[in-house]
Amino acid sequence: MQHQTLALFLFMVLANCSSSNQTAFESSLKEYQNGQWLVSEMWAKKSIESNKSVAESQYMMGLCEFKRQQFEEAQEWFTKAASSSNKDVHGKATAMLGIIAENEGDFAAAEKAFSIAALELVGADRREAASRTTASIGNAGLISNHSFSLQFGAFRS
């Protein structure tokens, strides 16, 4: 037990020493990339509490919760991040809200979110958001959502 406490203490000291060159948000990003969702959340919260990179950290919180399949919490964080004046954060958070809406079967909300996100994002992110807006409604009454399609019409016989 004493060795575990000492090991935990050393880890915390080393973490604080090594992070002195990085901001809390950068540490959050690094831990997210390493698949350490809870540690990433810890750093993102620290960034929010210190009022630095708030919108970016809110987005990171949403991503971590999404990865942990805590979709309600993720949606709350993405909603906060989507109010950012930073176009990239706003666009990415809005796209994630679209993904959540799509997974919940709310295709109208997803379409709206992806349309907004497509205006804010650049490059591959913009193309992905735009493809999700046009993919939900096809030609001649064909509605497609990547996993199913439904064709409707009115006929006399």
Side-chain angles (χ1 to χ4, degrees), residues 80-94:
K80 289 177 183 180
S83 67
S84 173
S85 59
N86 178 321
K87 287 179 78 168
D88 189 50
V89 172
H90 178 264
K92 287 180 179 181
T94 303

Side-chain angles (χ1 to χ4, degrees), residues 27-28 31-32 36-48 57 60-68 70 73 77:
S27 295
S28 176
E31 294 301 336
Y32 180 84
Q36 300 296 319
W37 320 131
L38 290 174
V39 179
S40 177
E41 282 188 40
M42 177 195 72
W43 285 112
K45 283 179 186 175
K46 190 172 185 174
S47 182
I48 292 168
S57 296
M60 285 302 298
M61 290 293 296
L63 286 177
C64 292
E65 294 294 348
F66 189 85
K67 286 289 194 177
R68 295 179 53 236
Q70 303 296 317
E73 290 85 355
W77 285 110

Side-chain angles (χ1 to χ4, degrees), residues 92-121:
K92 287 180 179 181
T94 303
M96 289 304 296
L97 289 169
I99 289 170
I100 291 171
E102 190 175 65
N103 287 333
E104 292 175 345
D106 189 349
F107 301 112
E111 174 80 20
K112 182 178 178 184
F114 291 131
S115 295
I116 293 168
L119 297 174
E120 301 281 321
L121 299 171

